[in-house]
Amino acid sequence: MAIKIRKLLLFILGLTCFITSHDTIAQTSEKIALSTFLQQLEQEFDIKFSYADNEVLGLEIYVPQETSLPNILDDIETQTQVELEKINERYYTLTKSNFISICATVLDNFKMNTLYGASVKVLGTNITTFIDETGTFVLHNVPRSASVQIKHLGYKTLFVNADELIKKEPCKTLLLAQFYQQLEEVVVYEFLTKGLVKQTDGSFQMNSEEFGILPGLIEPDVLQTVQALPGIESTDETVSNINIRGGSNDQNLILWDGIKMYQSGHFFGLISAFNPYLTDKVILIKNGTGSQYGDGVSGIIDMRTKDAIADTFFAGAGFNLIGGDVYGHLPITDKVAVQFSARRSLTDLIDTPTYDKFFTRVFDDSQVTQEGNFYFYDFTGKVLYDINDRHKFRFSFININNLLDYTERDMSDTNEIHSALNQTNLSLGASLSSDWTEKFATYINLYSTQYQLDARNISANAEQILFQNNEVEETALKLSTNFMPNDNFNWLNGYQFTDTGIANETSVTQPPFESNARNVIKSHALFSELTFTSTDKKIYARGGVRLNYLENPDTFKEYILEPRLSFNYAFTRHLKVQALGEFKSQAINQIIDLEQNFLGIEKRRWIVSDGENLPITKSKQGSIGINYDHENFYVGLEAFYKEVDGISTSTQGFQNQNQFNGEIGKYNVKGVEFLINKKTDNYSVWASYTYNFNNYNFSEVLPPNFPNNLDIRHAATFAGTYTLENFKLGIGLNYRTGKPYTEPDPDEPLDTSFFPNRINYQDPNSSRLPEYLRADASAIYNFNLTEKLKASAGISVLNFTSRKNILNSYYRLNEDNEIEKVENVSLGLTPNISFRVRF
């Protein structure tokens, strides 16, 4: 009896020890070797496992929660996908399965978002799949010894051994690191301010959401920001007259979601017409343009709104002393989202110091006082539809409006002139991007844009009514394909069709005069481009060609071949050399009309090349540069040469003896751009210098060679920003030499042999305006109103020294047949404040 009791106690004690030991291990989350756990099972259940050592080598498991032997063995099979076979009551065999089921959840390592649509491939097999909406994938019958490749655009490719992903609950979580060395997204250096980077292909990219601060800016204004880069100026301080390497504004191609924009500014160019808060990125190209771009013989500004469907709703709103705006992104389902933005000026409701300065700047050369109603607004919308993980449809629209209705009252009498000017741009666009395979993708873009400028001027006695209209209607279709055979090569091919019609109408009642001209030009273009990136990332080369066929049904047909090149070589990780080159052309330009046209405020009209009076404008440009970037220090030097042929005196804004000639000629620019920047997490200090030698050549003008109207020989900037937690401060100084202008002959200023009399001028552009110097400052403070409601307040002061800078000077005859000098003066001390919220 005692023996039986002793055996019972030993059994209870042994069972207690096993349960205690088993529970202790089960409560831990650490893995143990399978071979170790099998030895425990042999001891506790008095069984034996027969297996080869290499069958369990390297296999680890979490200790099963089960307590019965059959359930424990099932759990081992599930975790390791080995096969356990029972021979008899005591003996079991273990063999490793050659094929397994695997699963994983794939997230990005930055915000832990699911990477829906990432591709999964079992190397050496035909087994592939894609990450589903939950970020998970499951594959069966996968060779245990295989490697699994996981790829997603913008992320580093991940390789994992299949037996590390054996299917169990929950599936293993994998993190993909963001990849900053994709072909068109290779960041060379983030400089000047946060969110502004230089790419390997020579372009510059601005990210509005990450944008820091620049002197004088309290909002990430796209067209103001690009002027911080060397080689880019605005001689009249407007965003509608940006001069890239000495070219006129109409020689820039401005795109918004792939749609060509014919209007870019509010308040007659003092404010950008594009809401920055839904703009995902802006690409600026000065040279080395990709072959998919047509037009823009001087430069390209390509704005792209947010293109991904967010998980949650976000929005924001704000105001400053000029206007207010609101924007939002609303996900309707996981496949459909809507974006919107709207902005309106306050100028017709209240007068502010900023509005007064802007108004004076616009009308500073007028002899009358203005009383009336002026305001502007714009709104945009975008529908995002992810048809599936491979096909994405987008629809965008933008509407921009400037409206002016005012009365001019002559200071010398009581006569009034009633005037109105309306400027609108309405554009619609749709696109479909498709990733057919991992190596082949297509993109289709279709848009329609309409620009209209109307002016009406009625004299006080109603004897004369002047009506003017400039209208542009354009439709375009673009198809491109991308083939990436491996990580080193990318081959782009495509076709673009553009149909542009432009109308110009003028009607005067006294004396009677009417003019109504409409011209159309059609363009067909084929383009091809091959990009190579070496495995070690030392060499980046992109070469392409664009073949244009331009047709004006009334006058000409012409083929134009345009080669393009971008090459970057890294001698070391920090020292790089770059060579860029391009041939480009455009058949649409702006003429600068008479001073009295469009109320003397907006004097530019879009026109179509006719092959005779205005030929197709063509350019060729080459540049070579070297830059050094190491940690927080950047220095770059670039020399360039550009020649633009087929320009007319009517498109260059002459205000001298060449104003009405319409002579055809060219200009060439030789220059050097230098930038040095020291940047840390808290501050950024930079200095830039640009030298341009910009000359006209008009063979029918005497003398034929003289300085370009935009010949700014020397331009320099010294600026800095400082960030302390939520506070940002920027201050900067901009300097440039004066632009050229033409003065009357001092000995015989007036030619009375003509009626009406004319001004006798000296040689074209033989005089220079005084130097331009402007100091700007801005500050922004970010804070939280609630846990989810974030806010920012900003203040800026343009020209805080209140220096009087003369932007332009010209001469005209007044009513008494006397010569008077007209000077356009820059903005004076101009303050502005802003307040914004986002959630």
Side-chain angles (χ1 to χ4, degrees), residues 236 389 409 644 784 786:
D236 62 359
D389 57 328
R409 183 177 296 108
V644 179
N784 295 335
T786 66

Side-chain angles (χ1 to χ4, degrees), residues 234-243 270 361 736 807:
S234 175
T235 58
D236 62 359
E237 296 185 329
T238 69
V239 298
S240 60
N241 190 27
I242 294 176
N243 315 122
L270 293 177
R361 166 67 186 85
R736 64 173 183 257
L807 302 176

Side-chain angles (χ1 to χ4, degrees), residues 82-355:
V82 298
E83 295 180 358
L84 290 167
E85 183 177 355
K86 184 177 182 180
I87 304 300
N88 53 42
E89 291 300 324
R90 188 180 183 196
Y91 288 95
Y92 293 81
T93 61
L94 182 151
T95 57
K96 184 185 289 186
S97 173
N98 292 326
F99 295 91
I100 58 178
S101 295
I102 64 174
C103 73
T105 299
V106 182
L107 307 173
D108 77 75
N109 70 342
F110 179 57
K111 295 185 178 180
M112 298 301 171
N113 292 326
T114 58
L115 295 177
Y116 174 55
S119 64
V120 182
K121 182 177 182 179
V122 180
L123 300 181
T125 73
N126 294 323
I127 302 174
T128 60
T129 189
F130 293 93
I131 306 298
D132 62 20
E133 293 87 344
T134 65
T136 303
F137 73 89
V138 178
L139 290 173
H140 302 285
N141 296 320
V142 175
R144 182 185 287 269
S145 60
S147 293
V148 180
Q149 172 188 275
I150 303 172
K151 295 179 67 176
H152 194 279
L153 184 64
Y155 293 84
K156 293 182 179 179
T157 301
L158 181 66
F159 297 93
V160 187
N161 293 330
D163 58 3
E164 295 181 24
L165 304 178
I166 291 174
K167 188 176 184 298
K168 60 182 181 294
E169 293 294 336
C171 296
K172 186 174 183 178
T173 299
L174 302 176
L175 301 179
L176 258 62
Q178 291 182 333
F179 183 35
Y180 294 104
Q181 292 185 324
Q182 295 288 331
L183 291 177
E184 291 189 62
E185 300 178 354
V186 182
V187 175
V188 174
Y189 185 79
E190 182 177 67
F191 62 103
L192 304 192
T193 188
K194 187 177 180 181
L196 187 61
V197 298
K198 183 178 181 181
Q199 309 291 327
T200 297
D201 65 357
S203 65
F204 298 85
Q205 180 173 308
M206 169 187 162
N207 186 310
S208 299
E209 188 174 4
E210 299 178 1
F211 188 73
I213 190 173
L214 285 174
L217 294 182
I218 47 179
E219 295 181 345
D221 188 297
V222 171
L223 301 182
Q224 293 283 4
T225 300
V226 298
Q227 297 178 46
L229 300 171
I232 303 178
E233 299 283 345
S234 175
T235 58
D236 62 359
E237 296 185 329
T238 69
V239 298
S240 60
N241 190 27
I242 294 176
N243 315 122
I244 299 178
R245 289 183 171 173
S248 55
N249 182 76
D250 63 321
Q251 294 172 354
N252 299 326
L253 173 63
I254 299 178
L255 298 172
W256 181 86
D257 270 358
I259 305 170
K260 184 176 180 180
M261 293 284 104
Y262 286 91
Q263 180 183 351
S264 58
H266 285 312
F267 217 137
F268 306 106
L270 293 177
I271 303 170
S272 171
F274 306 101
N275 191 306
Y277 295 102
L278 286 177
T279 302
D280 184 43
K281 64 180 179 179
V282 180
I283 299 172
L284 170 71
I285 304 172
K286 295 191 285 186
N287 190 15
T289 307
S291 63
Q292 71 268 30
Y293 291 104
D295 296 333
V297 297
S298 274
I300 294 173
I301 301 173
D302 185 357
M303 294 168 282
R304 304 175 186 179
T305 58
K306 295 183 184 297
D307 202 52
I309 297 177
D311 295 330
T312 58
F313 170 75
F314 66 85
F319 69 88
N320 54 41
L321 295 184
I322 292 295
D325 73 280
V326 62
Y327 70 92
H329 177 102
L330 175 63
I332 299 175
T333 69
D334 58 350
K335 294 185 179 228
V336 179
V338 175
Q339 294 176 2
F340 64 89
S341 73
R343 175 171 50 169
R344 192 190 190 281
S345 67
L346 306 175
T347 53
D348 58 327
L349 303 176
I350 58 174
D351 286 340
T352 65
T354 309
Y355 170 70

Side-chain angles (χ1 to χ4, degrees), residues 674-692:
F674 173 77
L675 174 66
I676 185 170
N677 180 211
K678 173 65 177 177
K679 184 176 183 293
T680 68
D681 291 338
N682 298 109
Y683 71 86
S684 177
V685 179
W686 69 90
S688 69
Y689 169 74
T690 303
Y691 170 77
N692 277 342

Side-chain angles (χ1 to χ4, degrees), residues 449-692:
T449 187
Q450 183 177 37
Y451 166 83
Q452 188 162 340
L453 178 63
D454 291 318
R456 184 182 69 254
N457 190 307
I458 305 175
S459 62
N461 54 17
E463 290 183 356
Q464 184 186 68
I465 300 176
L466 170 64
F467 171 79
Q468 295 171 294
N469 171 267
N470 181 213
E471 183 176 349
V472 180
E473 292 182 344
E474 180 172 289
T475 56
L477 171 67
K478 187 174 185 179
L479 168 66
S480 62
T481 65
N482 267 291
F483 176 60
M484 186 183 296
N486 52 50
D487 292 336
N488 300 109
F489 287 94
N490 184 78
W491 189 19
L492 169 72
N493 292 281
Y495 164 77
Q496 182 174 356
F497 169 74
T498 307
D499 186 336
T500 308
I502 298 182
N504 278 289
E505 181 181 358
T506 301
S507 176
V508 183
T509 58
Q510 188 66 33
F513 173 79
E514 287 193 8
S515 173
N516 190 352
R518 180 176 179 84
N519 291 282
V520 176
I521 193 162
K522 297 182 179 181
S523 168
H524 300 266
L526 295 173
F527 54 88
S528 183
E529 181 176 276
L530 185 64
T531 303
F532 169 76
T533 305
S534 63
T535 303
D536 59 8
K537 308 301 178 185
K538 283 190 173 183
I539 298 176
Y540 172 91
R542 186 184 67 203
V545 65
R546 183 181 180 94
L547 177 62
N548 297 310
Y549 171 69
L550 301 175
E551 177 185 4
N552 185 322
D554 299 325
T555 55
F556 70 88
K557 299 177 182 179
E558 186 171 348
Y559 288 94
I560 303 174
L561 189 66
E562 300 173 355
R564 314 280 176 86
L565 173 68
S566 174
F567 176 80
N568 189 298
Y569 179 75
F571 292 108
T572 68
R573 182 180 177 183
H574 306 293
L575 183 64
K576 305 174 181 69
V577 64
Q578 185 168 71
L580 305 171
E582 64 182 24
F583 281 60
K584 289 199 291 186
S585 63
Q586 66 181 62
I588 297 172
N589 297 274
Q590 280 184 325
I591 59 172
I592 313 298
D593 225 318
L594 305 180
E595 283 305 309
Q596 66 268 28
N597 282 2
F598 288 116
L599 312 182
I601 305 167
E602 181 59 74
K603 299 179 282 290
R604 294 176 293 183
R605 296 191 184 201
W606 290 104
I607 61 170
V608 169
S609 296
D610 58 11
E612 297 177 0
N613 296 322
L614 184 61
I616 296 173
T617 305
K618 301 175 184 178
S619 72
K620 52 187 177 182
Q621 181 179 186
S623 63
I624 186 167
I626 188 168
N627 61 75
Y628 174 83
D629 61 275
H630 181 61
E631 295 181 352
N632 300 318
F633 180 73
Y634 173 90
V635 59
L637 179 68
E638 185 172 7
F640 68 91
Y641 174 81
K642 180 170 70 173
E643 182 178 294
V644 179
D645 199 358
I647 63 171
S648 168
T649 55
S650 62
T651 66
Q652 297 299 297
F654 283 105
Q655 293 173 306
N656 53 26
Q657 63 268 45
N658 298 315
Q659 182 171 351
F660 309 107
N661 292 348
E663 303 293 349
I664 305 301
K666 64 181 180 180
Y667 70 86
N668 57 73
V669 190
K670 292 175 280 190
V672 176
E673 298 168 357
F674 173 77
L675 174 66
I676 185 170
N677 180 211
K678 173 65 177 177
K679 184 176 183 293
T680 68
D681 291 338
N682 298 109
Y683 71 86
S684 177
V685 179
W686 69 90
S688 69
Y689 169 74
T690 303
Y691 170 77
N692 277 342

